Amino acid sequence: MLDQAWALLAQGAGDRHSPWRTLNLATIAADGRPNVRTVVLRATARGPGTVRVHTDRRSEKARELAGDPRVMLHGYDPAGAVQLRLAGRARLHIGDAVAAAGWAASAAMSRACYRGAAPGSIVPAPPPAPDARGEGGADNFAVVEVTIETLEWLWLCAAGHRRARFDLAAGTGHWLAP
């Protein structure tokens, strides 16, 4: 199950049509409430047990991660009936080599998203679509690298659900009641 989970995550990072391309990222808001949003999976590394997503450094997400790095990532593939839950700690990369590499690997259209108003800003009207031909935005770009502490795999099946939890730091895994 652990091998399958990492293979699915790797597929999501490399294939924009994969159901694992977008995951839900839950953070802890300043008032202690959970906050969840969808993010695009950009990279995985099984060896160190990390996944990476991108964000705008001006976003609420970045502020929340700076205040409390504990996160949960969640994904579900309805066709395969598999759910993954990844709990870990996030590290923001801003203006370092990891951020520079993430920026360099980003498509022009993705880069354009970092040139506009800060995410969540009040604007007088919906802004126009980003123009991929422009320059700038790198100063607002950040990479979120999550070191996974636990990974839960759940398979839903009429013949009997299966659920397992892996503690990556301890190198252990256990079956759980679904």
Side-chain angles (χ1 to χ4, degrees):
M1 280 39 72
L2 188 57
D3 289 340
Q4 180 197 42
W6 280 108
L8 293 172
L9 293 169
Q11 176 191 47
D15 178 2
R16 61 184 226 141
H17 299 292
S18 167
W20 301 101
R21 181 64 167 187
T22 55
L23 301 173
N24 300 307
L25 173 69
T27 57
I28 301 169
D31 65 2
R33 289 189 291 181
N35 200 359
V36 67
R37 77 279 288 155
T38 303
V39 295
V40 177
L41 182 60
R42 300 295 182 176
T44 65
R46 182 173 180 173
T50 60
V51 298
R52 290 183 181 170
V53 301
H54 297 166
T55 193
D56 191 306
R57 69 185 291 176
R58 303 169 295 169
S59 69
E60 182 179 36
K61 176 187 331 133
R63 286 189 300 277
E64 290 170 354
L65 293 173
D68 189 333
R70 295 176 297 163
V71 298
M72 175 75 76
L73 287 155
H74 169 268
Y76 180 69
D77 174 11
V82 173
Q83 170 185 273
L84 296 178
R85 293 186 336 140
L86 307 117
R89 294 191 176 270
R91 177 178 175 203
L92 280 172
H93 290 274
I94 300 170
D96 63 8
V98 172
W103 181 257
S106 295
M109 192 60 184
S110 294
R111 290 182 190 175
C113 296
Y114 297 93
R115 290 195 291 269
S121 298
I122 295 174
V123 293
D131 184 351
R133 297 170 294 178
E135 294 294 322
D139 290 345
N140 298 325
F141 178 80
V143 171
V144 178
E145 183 176 56
V146 179
T147 300
I148 306 303
E149 296 168 346
T150 62
L151 184 152
E152 283 195 22
W153 171 92
L154 172 65
W155 177 51
L156 301 173
C157 179
H161 305 323
R162 302 285 184 266
R163 181 176 172 196
R165 178 184 171 112
F166 301 93
D167 182 324
L168 300 186
T172 61
H174 304 282
W175 288 109
L176 300 174

